[in-house]
Coordinates of all heavy atoms in Angstrom, one line a residue:
L1 N 6.9 -5.4 2.3 CA 5.6 -4.8 2.1 C 4.6 -5.5 3.0 O 3.7 -4.8 3.6 CB 5.2 -4.9 0.7 CG 6.1 -4.2 -0.3 CD1 5.6 -4.4 -1.8 CD2 6.1 -2.7 0.0
A2 N 4.7 -6.8 3.2 CA 3.7 -7.5 4.1 C 3.9 -7.0 5.5 O 2.9 -6.9 6.2 CB 3.9 -9.0 4.0
Q3 N 5.1 -6.8 5.9 CA 5.4 -6.4 7.3 C 4.7 -5.0 7.6 O 4.3 -4.8 8.7 CB 6.9 -6.3 7.5 CG 7.3 -6.0 9.0 CD 8.8 -6.1 9.2 OE1 9.5 -6.3 8.3 NE2 9.2 -6.1 10.5
G4 N 4.6 -4.1 6.6 CA 4.1 -2.8 6.8 C 2.6 -2.7 6.5 O 2.1 -1.6 6.4
A5 N 1.9 -3.8 6.3 CA 0.5 -3.8 5.9 C -0.4 -3.1 6.9 O -0.2 -3.2 8.1 CB 0.1 -5.3 5.7
N6 N -1.4 -2.4 6.3 CA -2.4 -1.7 7.0 C -3.7 -2.1 6.4 O -4.2 -1.4 5.4 CB -2.1 -0.2 7.0 CG -3.1 0.6 7.8 OD1 -4.3 0.2 7.9 ND2 -2.7 1.7 8.3
P7 N -4.4 -3.1 6.8 CA -5.6 -3.6 6.2 C -6.7 -2.6 6.1 O -7.5 -2.5 5.1 CB -6.0 -4.8 7.1 CG -4.8 -5.2 7.8 CD -4.0 -4.0 8.0
V8 N -6.9 -1.7 7.1 CA -7.9 -0.7 7.0 C -7.7 0.3 5.9 O -8.5 0.6 5.1 CB -8.0 0.1 8.3 CG1 -9.0 1.2 8.2 CG2 -8.4 -0.9 9.5
R9 N -6.4 0.8 5.8 CA -6.1 1.7 4.7 C -6.2 1.0 3.4 O -6.6 1.6 2.4 CB -4.7 2.3 4.9 CG -4.3 3.4 3.9 CD -2.8 3.7 3.9 NE -2.5 4.4 5.1 CZ -1.3 4.3 5.7 NH1 -0.3 3.6 5.2 NH2 -1.0 5.0 6.8
A10 N -5.8 -0.3 3.3 CA -5.8 -1.0 2.1 C -7.1 -1.1 1.5 O -7.3 -1.0 0.2 CB -5.3 -2.4 2.4
A11 N -8.2 -1.3 2.3 CA -9.5 -1.4 1.7 C -9.9 0.0 1.0 O -10.5 0.0 0.0 CB -10.5 -1.7 2.8
G12 N -9.6 1.1 1.7 CA -9.9 2.4 1.1 C -9.1 2.6 -0.2 O -9.6 3.2 -1.1
Q13 N -7.8 2.2 -0.2 CA -7.0 2.4 -1.4 C -7.6 1.6 -2.6 O -7.6 2.1 -3.7 CB -5.6 1.9 -1.1 CG -4.8 2.8 -0.2 CD -3.4 2.3 0.2 OE1 -3.3 1.1 0.4 NE2 -2.4 3.1 0.2
Q14 N -8.0 0.4 -2.3 CA -8.5 -0.4 -3.4 C -9.8 0.2 -3.9 O -10.0 0.2 -5.2 CB -8.8 -1.8 -2.9 CG -9.2 -2.8 -4.0 CD -9.3 -4.2 -3.5 OE1 -9.1 -4.6 -2.4 NE2 -9.6 -5.1 -4.5
R15 N -10.6 0.7 -3.1 CA -11.9 1.4 -3.6 C -11.5 2.6 -4.4 O -12.1 2.8 -5.4 CB -12.8 1.8 -2.4 CG -13.5 0.6 -1.7 CD -14.6 1.1 -0.8 NE -14.1 2.0 0.2 CZ -13.7 1.6 1.4 NH1 -13.7 0.3 1.7 NH2 -13.2 2.4 2.3
Y16 N -10.6 3.4 -3.9 CA -10.3 4.7 -4.6 C -9.7 4.4 -5.9 O -10.0 5.1 -6.9 CB -9.3 5.4 -3.7 CG -8.7 6.7 -4.4 CD1 -9.5 7.8 -4.6 CD2 -7.4 6.7 -4.9 CE1 -9.0 8.9 -5.2 CE2 -6.9 7.8 -5.6 CZ -7.7 8.9 -5.7 OH -7.2 10.0 -6.4
M17 N -8.8 3.4 -6.0 CA -8.2 3.1 -7.3 C -9.0 2.2 -8.2 O -8.6 1.9 -9.3 CB -6.8 2.4 -7.0 CG -5.8 3.3 -6.4 SD -5.4 4.7 -7.4 CE -4.9 4.0 -8.9
K18 N -10.2 1.7 -7.7 CA -11.0 0.9 -8.5 C -10.2 -0.3 -9.0 O -10.3 -0.7 -10.2 CB -11.7 1.6 -9.6 CG -12.5 2.8 -9.2 CD -13.1 3.6 -10.4 CE -13.9 4.8 -9.9 NZ -14.4 5.6 -11.0
S19 N -9.5 -0.9 -8.1 CA -8.5 -2.0 -8.5 C -9.0 -3.3 -8.1 O -9.5 -3.6 -7.0 CB -7.2 -1.7 -7.8 OG -6.3 -2.8 -7.9
E20 N -8.9 -4.3 -9.0 CA -9.3 -5.7 -8.7 C -8.2 -6.3 -7.8 O -8.4 -7.1 -7.0 CB -9.4 -6.5 -10.0 CG -10.6 -6.1 -10.8 CD -10.8 -7.0 -12.0 OE1 -10.1 -8.0 -12.1 OE2 -11.7 -6.7 -12.8
M21 N -6.9 -5.8 -8.1 CA -5.8 -6.3 -7.3 C -5.8 -5.6 -5.9 O -5.9 -4.4 -5.8 CB -4.5 -6.0 -8.0 CG -3.3 -6.5 -7.3 SD -1.7 -6.2 -8.2 CE -2.0 -7.2 -9.6
P22 N -5.7 -6.4 -4.8 CA -5.8 -5.8 -3.5 C -4.5 -5.0 -3.2 O -3.5 -5.1 -3.8 CB -5.9 -7.0 -2.6 CG -5.3 -8.1 -3.3 CD -5.6 -7.8 -4.8
F23 N -4.6 -4.2 -2.1 CA -3.5 -3.4 -1.6 C -3.0 -3.9 -0.3 O -3.7 -4.6 0.4 CB -3.9 -1.9 -1.4 CG -4.0 -1.1 -2.7 CD1 -5.0 -1.2 -3.6 CD2 -3.0 -0.1 -2.9 CE1 -5.0 -0.4 -4.7 CE2 -3.0 0.7 -4.1 CZ -4.0 0.5 -5.0
R24 N -1.8 -3.6 0.1 CA -1.3 -3.9 1.4 C -1.6 -2.7 2.4 O -1.6 -2.9 3.6 CB 0.3 -4.0 1.3 CG 0.8 -5.3 0.8 CD 0.4 -6.5 1.7 NE 1.2 -7.7 1.4 CZ 0.9 -8.9 2.0 NH1 0.0 -9.0 2.9 NH2 1.6 -9.9 1.6
G25 N -1.9 -1.5 1.8 CA -2.2 -0.4 2.7 C -1.1 0.5 3.0 O -1.1 1.3 4.0
L26 N 0.0 0.5 2.2 CA 1.1 1.4 2.4 C 1.0 2.6 1.5 O 0.5 2.5 0.4 CB 2.5 0.6 2.0 CG 3.0 -0.4 3.0 CD1 2.2 -1.7 3.0 CD2 4.5 -0.6 2.7
T27 N 1.5 3.7 2.0 CA 1.6 4.9 1.2 C 2.8 4.8 0.2 O 3.6 3.9 0.4 CB 1.8 6.2 2.1 OG1 3.1 6.1 2.7 CG2 0.7 6.3 3.1
S28 N 2.8 5.7 -0.7 CA 4.0 5.7 -1.7 C 5.3 5.9 -0.9 O 6.3 5.2 -1.2 CB 3.8 6.8 -2.7 OG 4.9 6.9 -3.5
R29 N 5.3 6.8 0.0 CA 6.5 7.0 0.8 C 6.9 5.8 1.6 O 8.1 5.4 1.7 CB 6.3 8.2 1.8 CG 7.5 8.5 2.6 CD 7.3 9.8 3.4 NE 7.1 11.0 2.6 CZ 6.9 12.2 3.0 NH1 6.9 12.4 4.4 NH2 6.8 13.2 2.2
E30 N 5.9 5.1 2.2 CA 6.2 3.9 2.9 C 6.7 2.8 2.1 O 7.6 2.0 2.5 CB 4.9 3.4 3.7 CG 4.6 4.3 4.8 CD 3.2 4.0 5.4 OE1 2.4 3.3 4.7 OE2 2.9 4.5 6.6
V31 N 6.2 2.7 0.8 CA 6.7 1.6 -0.1 C 8.2 1.9 -0.4 O 9.0 1.0 -0.3 CB 5.9 1.7 -1.4 CG1 6.6 0.8 -2.5 CG2 4.5 1.2 -1.2
K32 N 8.5 3.1 -0.7 CA 9.9 3.5 -1.0 C 10.8 3.3 0.2 O 12.0 2.7 0.0 CB 10.0 4.9 -1.5 CG 9.3 5.2 -2.8 CD 9.4 6.6 -3.2 CE 8.6 6.9 -4.5 NZ 8.6 8.3 -4.9
S33 N 10.4 3.6 1.4 CA 11.2 3.5 2.6 C 11.4 2.0 2.9 O 12.5 1.6 3.3 CB 10.5 4.1 3.8 OG 11.2 3.9 5.0
A34 N 10.4 1.2 2.7 CA 10.5 -0.3 3.0 C 11.4 -1.0 2.1 O 12.1 -1.9 2.5 CB 9.1 -0.9 2.9
I35 N 11.5 -0.6 0.8 CA 12.3 -1.4 -0.1 C 13.7 -0.7 -0.3 O 14.5 -1.3 -1.0 CB 11.6 -1.5 -1.5 CG1 11.5 -0.2 -2.2 CG2 10.2 -2.2 -1.3 CD1 10.9 -0.3 -3.6
R36 N 13.9 0.5 0.2 CA 15.2 1.2 -0.1 C 16.4 0.3 0.3 O 17.4 0.2 -0.5 CB 15.2 2.5 0.7 CG 16.4 3.4 0.3 CD 16.3 4.7 1.0 NE 15.2 5.5 0.5 CZ 14.2 5.9 1.2 NH1 14.1 5.7 2.5 NH2 13.2 6.6 0.7
P37 N 16.5 -0.3 1.5 CA 17.6 -1.1 1.9 C 17.9 -2.3 0.9 O 19.0 -2.6 0.6 CB 17.3 -1.6 3.3 CG 16.3 -0.6 3.8 CD 15.5 -0.3 2.6
L38 N 16.8 -2.8 0.4 CA 16.9 -3.9 -0.5 C 17.4 -3.5 -1.9 O 18.3 -4.2 -2.5 CB 15.5 -4.6 -0.7 CG 15.0 -5.3 0.5 CD1 13.5 -5.5 0.4 CD2 15.7 -6.5 0.9

């Protein structure tokens, strides 16, 4: 997840979700793709 980080998108995701926890900036599809081999 760290390897696929997108800081610009992450900031927008955190605002949209009103989340105290920060984001990496990955889309749902990117999360699934990144962890699928694992």
Side-chain angles (χ1 to χ4, degrees):
L1 296 177
Q3 186 174 7
N6 183 329
V8 175
R9 185 193 290 154
Q13 289 175 321
Q14 187 172 3
R15 286 194 302 271
Y16 174 74
M17 291 302 302
K18 301 177 182 178
S19 171
E20 293 184 6
M21 184 180 292
F23 280 77
R24 282 292 193 188
L26 283 75
T27 65
S28 176
R29 180 176 295 181
E30 288 171 342
V31 170
K32 292 176 182 178
S33 177
I35 69 174
R36 187 175 296 119
L38 296 164

